[in-house]
Amino acid sequence: MPLRLPFRAAIAAALLPLLVACESVRQWTPPILQPYRPDVQQGTVVTKEMVDQLAAGMTRDQVRFLMGTPTLVSVFHQDRWEYVYLLKRGKGSDVQTRRMTVFFRETRVERFESDEMPPEVLADNLILGRKPKAQPKPPPEPAGPLRSRDVDPKTGVEVIVPTIPPVGF
């Protein structure tokens, strides 16, 4: 009878890692026992700024330069390019998909259909795993106007400062 309790504890300890791998168990297990799951990104990132620059009448080369290589070009629909993007977070079950379709007539853009695309700043934050609502910090303001020459502020006369070459190596 006294060996039963350690035996049950050993079985529970052996089964615990197997249960952690189950998706349904992830909700109630502590984070330290959960396996690492990386963020999965697939497809081509398309931002709002890219979609704003896309216009009817552009050539295929211009579209490829602006948007990048399409994710899907069907053999049966040569006049349609698909840009698909999928982002699945490792933590949680959040999956984001965005899709854009560009339709061509001969070699020019006829029209395009697009989901709501994020601005470039938000797309960068989503990809890097930062808070998606956070905006990056603006660059610091310069301390004062940049001068290309040394000028005496009192007289406004250019001051020539001799430079001495360094000695040694």
Side-chain angles (χ1 to χ4, degrees):
M1 205 64 155
L3 292 176
R4 258 189 163 167
L5 186 63
F7 182 69
R8 286 183 182 175
I11 289 178
L15 292 178
L16 184 64
L18 297 174
L19 289 175
V20 170
C22 295
E23 187 70 27
S24 62
V25 180
R26 285 183 66 202
Q27 298 171 356
W28 55 268
T29 56
I32 196 163
L33 295 177
Q34 294 179 4
Y36 173 73
R37 294 195 171 142
D39 294 344
V40 176
Q41 301 174 47
Q42 295 178 322
T44 306
V45 177
V46 177
T47 63
K48 184 179 183 311
E49 289 82 4
M50 291 176 175
V51 175
D52 291 344
Q53 292 179 21
L54 190 63
M58 294 176 84
T59 64
R60 291 178 188 257
D61 290 335
Q62 290 173 327
V63 174
R64 182 171 282 138
F65 178 78
L66 177 65
M67 309 295 290
T69 304
T71 309
L72 178 67
V73 179
S74 174
V75 175
F76 301 107
H77 301 285
Q78 295 280 332
D79 58 344
R80 184 171 75 193
W81 284 1
E82 301 279 342
Y83 291 90
V84 182
Y85 178 71
L86 173 115
L87 173 64
K88 181 178 180 188
R89 292 280 175 213
K91 295 180 180 179
S93 59
D94 181 30
V95 177
Q96 298 179 18
T97 57
R98 292 188 175 83
R99 182 176 169 178
M100 178 176 172
T101 307
V102 181
F103 296 94
F104 293 94
R105 172 158 292 180
E106 296 173 9
T107 60
R108 303 274 178 180
V109 174
E110 180 182 13
R111 63 186 169 90
F112 59 93
E113 298 171 357
S114 171
D115 292 343
E116 184 66 30
M117 298 295 176
E120 188 171 343
V121 173
L122 183 61
D124 289 344
N125 286 340
L126 286 171
I127 292 169
L128 296 173
R130 299 183 191 139
K131 289 186 265 178
K133 303 271 188 219
Q135 300 289 326
K137 296 177 184 175
E141 294 293 325
L146 298 174
R147 292 183 287 168
S148 60
R149 299 180 183 159
D150 289 335
V151 177
D152 186 5
K154 292 180 184 175
T155 61
V157 177
E158 182 178 342
V159 178
I160 299 173
V161 179
T163 58
I164 301 172
V167 178
F169 297 99

